């Protein structure tokens, strides 16, 4: 399970789009070349440099709340990508194992899907949805460069302004072109890493929800075929065969359910620190960017912040929406089990069905940091927390102005 992928072997993986994107930005090695490790170090070093550069800028402008918060918003955005990259690099084997487990999970019910067009449509729809979601989010994130990168040249021509952190110690005079290029490259790379990992986990959760939906339909279609039961005792043997077949089908459904539950527990262990990192940084970045969009006197800063504002909220919403899909589809398994034709089934079928219903009624929750449940309610609470910090910054700004 922990065998590393190569670029060629990833072609058949369910997560190939996500894996190859993360490989291109220096996170997921799909090569055994030593040169790739050097590439990883360079990417990580760029993120560290961004933090050092931003820290120096904040230390020079800490009395100017507007300037300090703008730099801090960039630092937190880039820092989030760096922390996620660190989590991945620390334990790459778990991510390779997770990708292979996803492949196994999708193939778990492939036989049932191949014989039922409705089930096959659910799986194919989920895969198309994840591909569009990943590509759309990455393209939207890359489009922010069209707003942020040229804005200092357009809004402040001739002033030698930088896109993110200004070098106040030398008024942007030393290595201006190099600094401008490095800030653009770091901003693009770290944003792609951060959103790329969010899309990876959102993709997996959508695929898991689709597998639960398939399972719910399989359970709901369980029927005891007793078409000849009314002809007398001579049909008892045929009825017994029908009960045996239905019971075997139920056992297969229970095995599939157990495999999905095991995978969700494993996914929670891998995703939990990444989700917690994103939640914390999104709250901080959201309040800082909203503060800039509201109180900044520089129109170019306002335009940049308004265009960027949906991103921290969108990253959190990805997790909460996809995790809530799993919760809803897990509940649907219990409902489908109750609605199938268990009344006419034999006692062993009913006992097995009670076990399935009892387990399916337990909430299937994913957590951030193993303590914070990920669902739609969590999204609303995080938005409220971000707005509370924004209101606090607004009060501090009014007091400093007076």
């Amino acid at each position: 399970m922990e065998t590393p992928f190569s670029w060629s072997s990833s072609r058949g993986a369910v997560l190939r789009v996500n894996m190859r994107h993360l490989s291109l930005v220096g996170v997921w090695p799909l090569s055994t070349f030593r040169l790739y490790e050097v590439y990883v170090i360079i990417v990580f070093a760029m993120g560290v440099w961004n933090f050092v550069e931003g820290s120096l800028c904040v230390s020079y402008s800490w009395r100017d709340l507007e300037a300090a918060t703008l730099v801090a918003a960039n630092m937190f955005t880039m820092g989030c990508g760096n922390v996620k990259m660190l989590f991945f690099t620390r334990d790459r084997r778990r991510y390779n194992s997770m990708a292979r487990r996803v492949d196994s999970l999708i193939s778990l019910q492939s036989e049932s899907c191949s014989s039922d067009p409705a089930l096959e449509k659910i799986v194919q729809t989920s895969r198309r949805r994840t591909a569009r979601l990943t590509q759309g989010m990455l393209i939207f994130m890359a489009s922010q460069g069209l707003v942020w990168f040229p804005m200092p040249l357009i809004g402040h021509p001739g002033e030698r302004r930088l896109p993110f952190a200004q070098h106040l110690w030398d008024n942007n005079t030393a290595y201006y072109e190099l600094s401008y290029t490095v800030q653009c490259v770091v901003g693009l790379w770290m944003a792609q890493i951060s959103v790329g990992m969010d899309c990876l986990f959102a993709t997996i959760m959508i695929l898991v929800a689709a597998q639960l939906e398939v399972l719910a339909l399989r359970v709901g279609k369980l029927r005891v075929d007793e078409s000849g039961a009314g002809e007398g005792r001579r049909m008892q043997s045929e009825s017994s065969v029908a009960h045996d077949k239905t019971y075997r089908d139920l056992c297969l459904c229970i095995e599939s359910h157990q495999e999905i539950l095991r995978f969700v527990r494993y996914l929670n262990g891998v995703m939990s620190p990444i989700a917690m990192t994103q939640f914390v940084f999104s709250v901080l970045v959201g309040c800082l960017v909203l503060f800039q969009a509201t109180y900044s006197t520089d129109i170019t800063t306002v335009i940049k912040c308004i265009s960027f504002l949906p991103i921290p909220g969108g990253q959190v919403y990805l997790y909460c929406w996809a995790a809530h899909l799993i919760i809803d589809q897990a509940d649907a398994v219990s409902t489908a089990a109750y609605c199938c034709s268990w009344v006419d089934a034999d006692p062993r079928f009913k006992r097995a069905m009670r076990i399935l219903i009892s387990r399916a009624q337990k909430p299937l929750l994913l957590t951030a940091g193993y303590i914070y449940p990920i669902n739609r309610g969590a999204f609303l609470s995080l938005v409220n927390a971000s707005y509370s910090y924004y209101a606090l910054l607004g009060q501090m700004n009014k007091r400093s102005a007076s």
Side-chain angles (χ1 to χ4, degrees):
M1 279 291 182
E2 296 179 352
T3 305
F5 283 89
S6 64
W7 186 271
S8 59
S9 64
S10 68
R11 183 181 298 111
V14 177
L15 302 175
R16 63 181 177 276
V17 174
N18 305 89
M19 294 165 61
R20 290 183 172 186
H21 169 259
L22 290 173
S23 177
L24 291 174
V25 295
V27 178
W28 197 315
L30 296 179
S31 170
T32 57
F33 294 119
R34 289 270 184 177
L35 194 59
Y36 189 86
E37 297 300 329
V38 176
Y39 176 47
V40 173
I41 294 172
I42 292 174
V43 172
F44 189 79
M46 288 194 304
V48 173
W49 166 249
N50 175 267
F51 179 80
V52 173
E53 185 181 40
S55 300
L56 288 172
C57 183
V58 170
S59 67
Y60 273 83
S61 62
W62 65 273
R63 292 182 179 178
D64 185 349
L65 187 60
E66 181 180 326
T69 52
L70 182 62
V71 176
N74 169 66
M75 285 175 57
F76 291 146
T77 302
M78 302 302 106
C80 183
N82 234 31
V83 172
K84 289 179 179 180
M85 185 177 181
L86 183 63
F87 276 122
F88 184 99
T89 306
R90 187 184 64 177
D91 199 355
R92 292 172 176 170
R93 292 180 300 175
R94 294 185 72 187
Y95 285 87
N96 285 302
S97 176
M98 180 181 68
R100 296 191 183 277
R101 285 171 183 258
V102 170
D103 292 338
S104 299
L105 187 70
I106 299 302
S107 64
L108 183 65
Q109 302 184 93
S110 59
E111 185 176 348
S112 300
C113 293
S114 61
S115 60
D116 191 329
L119 302 183
E120 181 66 21
K121 183 179 179 181
I122 293 173
V123 175
Q124 294 304 321
T125 299
S126 67
R127 297 186 68 168
R128 287 194 296 269
R129 176 188 290 182
T130 56
R132 289 195 298 266
L133 175 68
T134 300
Q135 294 166 3
M137 284 294 297
L138 295 177
I139 291 173
F140 177 70
M141 196 66 192
S143 69
Q144 292 297 306
L146 300 176
V147 178
W148 282 76
F149 298 162
M151 194 61 72
L153 302 177
I154 297 173
H156 305 278
E159 296 184 18
R160 300 176 69 85
R161 298 284 294 273
L162 292 171
F164 301 111
Q166 308 303 318
H167 295 175
L168 302 178
W169 50 91
D170 63 0
N171 294 320
N172 301 331
T173 55
Y175 304 104
Y176 173 73
E177 291 79 8
L178 177 61
S179 298
Y180 203 107
T181 302
V182 169
Q183 286 193 13
C184 291
V185 171
V186 173
L188 176 64
W189 240 250
M190 288 301 151
Q192 288 289 309
I193 289 172
S194 182
V195 176
M197 295 200 69
D198 297 335
C199 291
L200 170 69
F201 288 115
T203 294
I204 295 173
M205 287 187 283
I206 292 171
L207 295 174
V208 171
Q211 290 300 307
L212 286 168
E213 186 177 359
V214 168
L215 178 62
L217 288 178
R218 287 176 59 198
V219 173
K221 292 180 179 179
L222 291 174
R223 295 289 185 273
V224 179
D225 185 8
E226 297 181 309
S227 56
E231 298 181 9
R233 291 182 176 274
R234 66 187 181 84
M235 300 302 300
Q236 288 182 354
S237 60
E238 287 83 350
S239 178
S240 177
V241 171
H243 281 285
D244 289 341
K245 180 181 183 303
T246 307
Y247 179 72
R248 287 196 300 271
D249 291 342
L250 174 60
C251 289
L252 292 175
C253 290
I254 291 175
E255 290 175 4
S256 299
H257 190 229
Q258 290 173 338
E259 287 297 325
I260 293 173
L261 295 181
R262 278 192 283 268
F263 178 79
V264 171
R265 286 195 294 269
Y266 184 85
L267 174 63
N268 187 60
V270 178
M271 187 182 74
S272 187
I274 300 292
M276 193 65 182
T277 299
Q278 186 58 59
F279 284 9
V280 171
F281 280 99
S282 286
V283 169
L284 295 174
V285 172
C287 73
L288 293 174
V289 172
L290 184 59
F291 173 80
Q292 286 290 326
T294 305
Y295 293 100
S296 178
T297 56
D298 185 352
I299 187 61
T300 61
T301 299
V302 173
I303 293 173
K304 291 190 295 185
C305 291
I306 290 176
S307 68
F308 185 77
L309 193 56
I311 291 179
Q315 289 177 276
V316 171
Y317 185 74
L318 266 183
Y319 286 96
C320 296
W321 166 69
H324 208 91
L325 284 179
I326 293 180
I327 296 173
D328 289 342
Q329 295 303 328
D331 290 340
V333 173
S334 175
T335 303
Y338 184 78
C339 294
C340 76
S341 62
W342 58 267
V343 176
D344 300 325
D346 58 7
R348 60 177 180 170
F349 183 94
K350 293 178 181 179
R351 285 194 297 269
M353 186 60 74
R354 283 199 298 268
I355 294 173
L356 175 61
I357 293 175
S358 176
R359 180 60 189 89
Q361 285 179 336
K362 296 180 181 179
L364 192 56
L365 290 176
L366 291 163
T367 61
Y370 301 101
I371 54 175
Y372 200 82
I374 306 176
N375 50 37
R376 290 173 188 164
F379 173 73
L380 294 177
S381 65
L382 289 170
V383 170
N384 289 334
S386 186
Y387 183 81
S388 298
Y389 292 132
Y390 155 74
L392 178 61
L393 286 175
Q395 292 295 327
M396 293 173 59
N397 185 60
K398 290 178 182 179
R399 290 181 181 178
S400 62
S402 61

